């Protein structure tokens, strides 16, 4: 193709190669004036200068002492609060809110071709970036195979805008452990994950996913939920301890990690005994689970906001379950917070519509007792640690990727200002600036 767009994209790629290979003199230099800098680590600092060269931060310091390099483009954010690019550790770019009016979850697998889904995922990825989420851990494609690897490659090669992505590909559960469900047994329908039964199949699925580009492996350790006769939240365990151990053993051998969807009960226990690295949702954490998470250093990605969305009517079983889930989730989060469980920010967006603000999770965390500063840490330095990217993302410091965002206002005083990120730079390139 020799369309103008094709030529333009090739130029970008060539530029990208040059940036990585030639001397610093040829790299673009940007100097950002920060009114207040919240760097994800220490105290807020006033009147800072951030020097960006190429894709990385070169220097950060007091504007009175750090000089603007000659030839640098100056970005004036002196009336804004500047933060590291944010990280959402639980997204689904291949889901679009499961709107019943659009056929819900099932229609996405049964009616929407992969090209259609990939086109929408491209828009979702852009939505994350424009809201200041410069990194996402995208936790499975829901029947769209290895599509996340393709989107990640397209972003990395400069074809489309989007965040830095950590992907898990297909996800894993067991027979009877994932939709699509409820069809006649004679009808073969697609599943939203790779189904395994037995430790041999479990290990093989992990190998296949890792071979084809999974940065993490995602496992569903519980399925469905209901309010039991005892009035408690129940959920069905899926993989056996033997099966999950086969997956964690294999994945850890590759130097990668395993994220486990688990609500509570037996499935959660197996996830922890099996050596999962992060618990997703963790709606119903008992004291033993919390103690084990602290002991093992397991990450907790609570995804609070999504469980307040779209409740069924109160007088239906679904409606009662929706309310029970939110009712137990808050106290679980509070107990985990108090006990010192390592918590990261995650939304499950895609379960929520991508038209919703991703940062709505921040006020949920703060309302439940987390300080604004710790909520920001959950979406910056803590996420970086979980992702093995300490010093690379989630901080504004020399040597880190130049992923920088800014807001008007003070997020420590009002965390909800993070819903209105007005400046986004990723890899040293300004993606948006409405704060001029
Ligand atoms: Zn999810």
């Amino acid at each position: 193709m020799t369309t103008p767009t094709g030529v333009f994209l090739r130029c970008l790629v060539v530029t990208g190669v040059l940036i990585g290979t030639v001397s610093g003199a040829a790299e673009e230099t940007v100097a950002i004036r920060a009114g207040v800098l919240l760097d994800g680590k220490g105290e807020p600092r006033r009147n800072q200068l951030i020097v960006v060269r190429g894709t990385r931060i070169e220097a950060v310091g007091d504007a009175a002492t750090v000089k603007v390099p000659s030839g640098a483009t100056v970005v004036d954010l002196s009336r804004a609060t500047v933060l590291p690019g944010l990280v959402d550790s639980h997204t689904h770019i291949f889901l679009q809110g499961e709107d019943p009016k659009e056929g819900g979850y099932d229609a996405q697998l049964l009616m929407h071709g992969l090209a259609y889904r990939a086109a929408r995922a491209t828009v979702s990825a852009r939505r994350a970036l424009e809201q200041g989420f410069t990194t996402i851990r995208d936790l499975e494609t829901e029947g769209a195979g290895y599509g996340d690897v393709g989107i990640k490659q397209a972003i990395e090669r400069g074809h489309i805008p989007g965040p830095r992505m950590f992907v898990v590909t297909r996800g894993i559960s067991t027979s009877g452990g994932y939709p699509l469900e409820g069809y006649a047994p004679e009808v073969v329908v697609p599943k939203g994950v790779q189904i395994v039964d037995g430790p041999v199949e479990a290990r093989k699925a992990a190998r296949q996913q890792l071979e084809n580009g999974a940065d993490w492996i995602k496992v569903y350790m519980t399925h469905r939920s209901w309010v039991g006769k005892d009035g408690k939240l129940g959920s069905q365990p899926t993989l056996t301890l033997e099966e999950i151990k086969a997956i964690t053993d294999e994945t850890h051998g590759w130097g990668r990690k395993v994220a486990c969807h688990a609500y509570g009960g037996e499935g959660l226990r197996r996830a922890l005994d099996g050596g999962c690295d992060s618990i997703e949702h963790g709606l119903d954490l008992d004291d033993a689970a919390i103690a084990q998470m602290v002991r093992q250093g397991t990450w907790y990605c609570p995804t609070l906001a999504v469980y307040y969305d779209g409740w069924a009517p109160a007088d239906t079983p679904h409606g009662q379950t929706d309310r029970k889930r939110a009712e137990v989730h808050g106290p679980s989060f509070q107990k985990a917070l108090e006990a010192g469980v390592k918590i990261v920010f995650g939304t499950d967006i895609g379960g929520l519509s991508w038209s919703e603000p991703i940062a709505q999770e921040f006020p949920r965390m703060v309302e439940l007792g987390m300080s604004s500063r710790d909520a920001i840490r959950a979406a910056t330095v803590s996420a970086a640690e979980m992702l093995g990217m300490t010093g690379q993302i989630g901080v504004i410091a020399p040597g880190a990727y130049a992923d920088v965002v800014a807001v008007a206002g003070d997020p420590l005083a009002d965390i909800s200002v993070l819903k209105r990120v007005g400046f986004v730079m990723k890899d040293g390139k300004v993606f948006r600036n409405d704060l001029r």
Side-chain angles (χ1 to χ4, degrees), residues 90-92 95 139-140 142 218 220 261 280-281 303 348:
H90 191 133
T91 65
H92 297 279
L95 279 183
L139 283 186
E140 82 119 329
E142 310 285 355
K218 164 81 177 286
Y220 288 84
H261 166 117
E280 307 302 312
H281 317 302
T303 70
D348 214 0

Side-chain angles (χ1 to χ4, degrees), residues 179-262:
L180 302 183
E181 296 175 310
Y183 294 84
E186 300 78 16
V187 178
V188 178
V189 290
K191 292 287 181 185
V193 291
Q194 188 166 3
I195 296 293
V196 301
D197 293 297
V200 172
E201 284 187 18
R203 187 179 290 273
K204 185 169 183 178
R207 284 177 177 161
Q208 288 172 334
Q209 295 183 9
L210 290 161
E211 180 184 17
N212 288 296
D215 301 304
W216 279 63
I217 293 293
K218 164 81 177 286
V219 186
Y220 288 84
M221 291 301 295
T222 61
H223 179 51
R224 299 197 190 96
S225 56
W226 57 83
V227 182
K229 290 200 181 79
D230 56 3
K232 292 186 176 161
L233 186 74
S235 60
Q236 166 201 333
T238 52
L239 280 77
T240 63
L241 184 57
E242 236 189 333
E243 288 166 337
I244 184 61
K245 275 188 169 171
I247 290 171
T248 52
D249 179 62
E250 183 67 30
T251 307
H252 292 162
W254 288 58
R256 302 193 194 158
K257 294 178 182 170
V258 180
C260 284
H261 166 117

Side-chain angles (χ1 to χ4, degrees), residues 129-174:
L129 184 60
E130 68 191 15
Q131 292 177 69
F133 287 82
T134 52
T135 300
I136 60 174
R137 186 180 58 151
D138 198 66
L139 283 186
E140 82 119 329
T141 60
E142 310 285 355
Y146 293 91
D148 50 357
V149 177
I151 299 286
K152 175 185 168 175
Q153 287 170 339
I155 292 168
E156 285 179 350
R157 294 172 191 177
H159 298 299
I160 58 170
R164 201 176 298 290
M165 285 181 68
F166 290 81
V167 300
V168 307
T169 75
R170 300 179 62 191
I172 296 173
S173 190
T174 54

Side-chain angles (χ1 to χ4, degrees), residues 39-58:
D39 78 349
K41 278 187 156 176
E43 293 296 310
R45 287 174 283 160
R46 296 198 167 274
N47 299 323
Q48 300 289 296
L49 191 79
I50 304 160
V51 178
V52 172
R53 200 180 292 274
T55 60
R56 303 270 183 170
I57 293 167
E58 186 179 72

Side-chain angles (χ1 to χ4, degrees), residues 91-136:
T91 65
H92 297 279
I93 60 169
F94 278 90
L95 279 183
Q96 306 301 336
E98 305 180 31
D99 186 348
K101 290 196 291 294
E102 292 186 30
Y105 181 87
D106 292 25
Q108 296 177 81
L109 276 71
L110 293 171
M111 313 293 287
H112 301 164
L114 284 181
Y116 179 79
R117 294 192 70 189
R120 296 198 71 183
T122 302
V123 177
S124 306
R126 186 191 175 100
R127 286 283 299 143
L129 184 60
E130 68 191 15
Q131 292 177 69
F133 287 82
T134 52
T135 300
I136 60 174

